[in-house]
Amino acid sequence: GDLTGWAMRYVPYNGSGQIPDWALTPAERPQALITMGSLFPQYGRDDFIKILREFADALTALGTDLVVGLPDDLIDTTGVLPDGVRASGWLPLNAALPVCRLIVHHGGVGSTMTSVLYGVAQLVLPRVVDQFANAARVVENGVGLSLQPTEVTPAAVAEKCAKLLAEPAYAENAAKIAADNVTRPTAAGVAEQLASFVTGGQ
């Protein structure tokens, strides 16, 4: 027949963790979350800490508070972070995103899709492999912006983030995709379809 595939719902899973008090109530100022996943911080530590501090200075200057998703073993190496910056430890994205208006991340599929489904505008800074394709899809679908590695500076990041915070269309587009996502079958539902298909509906 003409069947080429079935749609399936994306269900965010970012691990388990305790939701902190600050993530349970709306913040007085807009909050932005920055995370670079697990690999870059671990294997480029000196570079990562320098970049983190530069980004923190630039983003807090926009009038936002910044939540830094950082592995627990790196928190002590950051030194004193600027005012308005919180190091959250290794907190699941789905615990922090509900109180954030913006996320800056590396373009991993988990970060990308979870941000879309929580209706949060995103700035993607891809570095390797599929991250570039994910960043392109973010831009194509109007849910965020991207900077290529050679374009990334604190000033450029701040400029893109200011645009994302000022224009509600990015979050609105993400919310539309999120609404479409929940109309699709769950993985369990697709498994039932697959079993029925294999057995010929018996």
Side-chain angles (χ1 to χ4, degrees), residues 45-121:
R45 293 188 174 213
D46 293 339
D47 186 38
F48 178 76
I49 297 302
K50 178 177 182 293
I51 290 171
L52 169 63
R53 294 189 63 82
E54 291 175 346
F55 285 2
D57 288 334
L59 293 176
T60 53
L62 296 177
T64 67
D65 288 333
L66 187 62
V67 178
V68 178
L70 195 64
D72 295 323
D73 67 327
L74 289 185
I75 290 178
D76 292 339
T77 70
T78 60
V80 178
L81 292 172
D83 289 341
V85 179
R86 175 186 289 111
S88 69
W90 202 242
L91 185 68
L93 284 179
N94 49 285
L97 284 177
V99 294
C100 293
R101 287 186 53 196
L102 171 68
I103 181 171
V104 179
H105 66 88
H106 58 304
V109 66
S111 299
T112 301
M113 288 302 300
T114 303
S115 301
V116 169
L117 298 187
Y118 277 91
V120 177

Side-chain angles (χ1 to χ4, degrees), residues 11-197:
V11 179
Y13 178 73
N14 313 124
S16 60
Q18 183 175 353
I19 301 178
D21 290 342
W22 60 263
L24 296 174
T25 55
E28 294 182 3
R29 303 200 315 166
Q31 290 200 98
L33 172 66
I34 180 168
T35 176
M36 290 296 165
S38 58
L39 295 181
F40 177 39
Q42 293 292 340
Y43 296 105
R45 293 188 174 213
D46 293 339
D47 186 38
F48 178 76
I49 297 302
K50 178 177 182 293
I51 290 171
L52 169 63
R53 294 189 63 82
E54 291 175 346
F55 285 2
D57 288 334
L59 293 176
T60 53
L62 296 177
T64 67
D65 288 333
L66 187 62
V67 178
V68 178
L70 195 64
D72 295 323
D73 67 327
L74 289 185
I75 290 178
D76 292 339
T77 70
T78 60
V80 178
L81 292 172
D83 289 341
V85 179
R86 175 186 289 111
S88 69
W90 202 242
L91 185 68
L93 284 179
N94 49 285
L97 284 177
V99 294
C100 293
R101 287 186 53 196
L102 171 68
I103 181 171
V104 179
H105 66 88
H106 58 304
V109 66
S111 299
T112 301
M113 288 302 300
T114 303
S115 301
V116 169
L117 298 187
Y118 277 91
V120 177
Q122 48 190 305
L123 174 61
V124 187
L125 310 177
R127 297 175 67 88
V128 294
V129 292
D130 66 319
Q131 296 172 2
F132 292 97
N134 295 335
R137 294 293 289 161
V138 164
V139 175
E140 289 167 10
N141 284 278
V143 298
L145 299 171
S146 177
L147 288 169
Q148 296 301 300
T150 56
E151 301 172 324
V152 175
T153 65
V157 168
E159 179 184 0
K160 295 290 187 183
C161 286
K163 183 175 182 180
L164 290 165
L165 289 168
E167 297 185 14
Y170 296 104
E172 291 169 356
N173 289 337
K176 292 175 184 176
I177 294 173
D180 179 65
N181 181 65
V182 297
T183 67
R184 299 181 176 192
T186 63
V190 172
E192 292 178 357
Q193 287 179 273
L194 181 60
S196 178
F197 177 77

